[in-house]
Amino acid sequence: MSFFAERCFAMVKGRMSPPDFAGLTAVDFEHIDFSDQTFAIAPDWFPVDALIVAIRRVGLLCPPHLQCVGPARYRVIRGFRRLRAASSLGVKRFNCLVRSGDPVELFVEALFENASSRPLHLLEKANAVWRLTQVFRIAQPKVIGEFLPVLGVKPNRFEMNRLLDLAQLSRPLQEAIVHESLQAEIALSAARWDTEEQSAFLQVIQALRPGFSRQKELFTLLDELRGRERNSVVQLLSAEAPENLETLLHRLRSCRFPKFSEYEKLYEQKKAGLRLPPEIQFHVPPFFEGEKIQVGFAIRTPAELRAFAARLQEIADKPELAEIFELL
Amino acid sequence: MKLLRPQKLFIESSVAESQITKNVLKLLPEVPVEVVDSAEALLSSAKEQTPTLSRAKKYLLLAEHKGRFLKHCPGGKGRLGIQNVCCNYLVINYAANCHMDCSYCFLQSYLNFPYLTIYANHNDLLTELESVFSADRSRFFRVGTGELADSLALDSVTRYSVPLVEFFASQPNAILELKTKTDCVDNLLGLGHGGRTVLAWSVNPPRIQKTDEHKTASLAERLEAARRCAGAGYQVAFHFDPIVQYSGWEAEYRSVVRQIFTLLPAGAVAWISLGALRMTYALKQVIRRRFPKSPLPFGELLPGEDGKLRYFKPVRVAMYRQMKEWIRELDQDVPIYLCMEKPDVWLKVFGRVPTDEPALEQEICRRVW
């Protein structure tokens, strides 16, 4: 029986009380220990801009849930982001529900409530799984089977490990994911770099804003050069003054694939020697894997074809063409 | 090398009485055993646990192979329909996976079995082979068992090689190649092989064996095993596959070639194949994750027409030419062929492309046939 079903079943059978929602209590902000993140699903730096706008307009409609942890001391169970937004608006006192009970039950309740009322960010899912396994010590198979489906994640160990890894990323990497400047998969791979390397990479990503495929290529080039040359990413990125993305990628490709780059240069030199008219396209196979060169042109009249044929005859006799075939 | 010592043995009930199963039970008496009604049910329940590759090497499953054992080697027809030069090789899938752990092994991104699996219904295999070989006695069959598993890595506990070698000894139109990175040849030395089995070793310089061929026999152990087999009258073969490029590769590979021809009697080497390092993107990721110290993914590997990563073509053509030259210095006649390469590479290395598959097969086998 699932965790949630067990809980409902216990309530029906009268073995467990329904949540105590009796009455609102007014609590001062200064009595809340915001450093206690036991029940937090989102990291405490998650942006709350939209909530600030909403709370300024309509106030705190949904009361946060708190737990009393000492005389006039509370910790937050649900509503971390709402309270941060309200606090930034200068709210000093607010109505809340003060809850008691098993912390595991309270966390699970908060998680289910969040998951069913709004789409959770990937890092919130990661944080939730990390708390379930590391703080509340729920066994991994149970988390996989009962909680991942609630979070909209495939219930397997690979996905859970991925979420646990995401939860442990450094804050700059997590922030880059939240701000959508860095892909989560690249952030996970960049976690094996040291802090300075991560920072140098993030600076470039934020400055040059590559799309996903370019971002992936840039990361892969840096990572493989780092692995092969024992160079740090900081060195690789600081070799020159700030570049545009294509210049940077070209420089790194030349380092990563020196023989291929040498052939590309040779090919370009020899192709220039053919003095091809712009109307004739000339393509060697990608990475010189293959033996055929594609030649393309378009014609509007038989006369144009005759002109191209004459031009192609000249090109066919040039030594540079034979030298290009030598490259294949 | 590290011998197989599984943590647990699963036996599908339909092969409980097989001779292979009896051999394993006798030779691994200390390993806990569980008999299961259906290997499929066991596999499907275990797949849900998304087992790690390392875990999969610790559990041995003896199962019944329900389909055909004999298949065409997929090397000729590359991915995405790209046609490599094909040597007409057939493969017997008698097992899947291996307890050794080579960083570059394609099985890591290919198999999704959570168990090291041996198909113990070997009588069905022999019946199928008999049927195929006898159906066309004018055709020549060259068959290997080393595609989804090392041919001999499990032989110390299964003795699978014994019925196979004895079966092929009586076949007038077929040859068996057992391809391995082990030195597990004790079961083979006293068999009446009739010259119909070739024992083959994948070889690499000691540096690569140490960094990337974990739990395998050392080069010296492999060559000593080859020498013992040649002494027992077997023809032996060598596969330089994958050839890895690194600073100083030339001297080290040349040394391996020299050791082979120094240690083995003239004419004992049936054939030599050459294949440069290649991998899919998926395998590259697995290597980076499972073997972070391996230098292999950092080579100048570029995608080919089939999407696989290979050394830049001029680089591997130069490597093949060098290897061919070093081999020819010591044996003018031994057949040499390329594995999973297209005709344009063959042309650059050998100056010609084989006319067709049977012609290449005959050329490869001319010292055995």
Side-chain angles (χ1 to χ4, degrees), chain A residues 156-158 192 220 223-224 227-228 256-261 263 286-291 325-328, chain B residues 48-52 284 288 297-305 311-316 342 344 348:
Chain A
N156 62 50
R157 201 162 52 84
F158 171 81
R192 60 175 171 256
T220 304
D223 195 44
E224 291 183 359
R228 193 184 69 182
R256 178 67 184 86
F257 304 108
K259 195 79 181 169
F260 171 63
S261 301
Y263 267 61
F287 306 105
F288 300 93
E289 281 286 345
E291 51 191 339
F325 277 107
E326 286 294 308
L327 298 177
L328 300 182
Chain B
E48 288 166 13
Q49 300 162 18
T50 50
T52 62
K284 185 174 166 184
R288 294 287 320 266
F298 303 127
E300 192 166 350
L301 299 161
L302 293 160
E305 285 178 280
Y311 290 126
F312 185 41
K313 189 166 91 176
V315 171
R316 58 185 205 277
K342 291 194 287 94
D344 55 320
K348 281 184 180 283

Side-chain angles (χ1 to χ4, degrees), chain B residues 9-29 33-36 60-64 118-123 157-160 163:
Chain B
L9 177 61
F10 295 91
I11 301 173
E12 189 171 22
S13 55
S14 59
V15 295
E17 294 304 313
S18 145
Q19 185 57 51
I20 301 297
T21 304
K22 287 176 185 168
N23 293 344
V24 173
L25 289 171
K26 185 179 170 188
L27 292 161
L28 292 174
V33 176
E34 183 179 334
V35 178
V36 295
L60 180 59
L61 168 64
L62 299 178
E64 179 187 354
I118 296 168
Y119 299 110
N121 51 327
H122 70 292
N123 284 328
V157 296
T158 64
R159 297 179 59 82
Y160 216 118

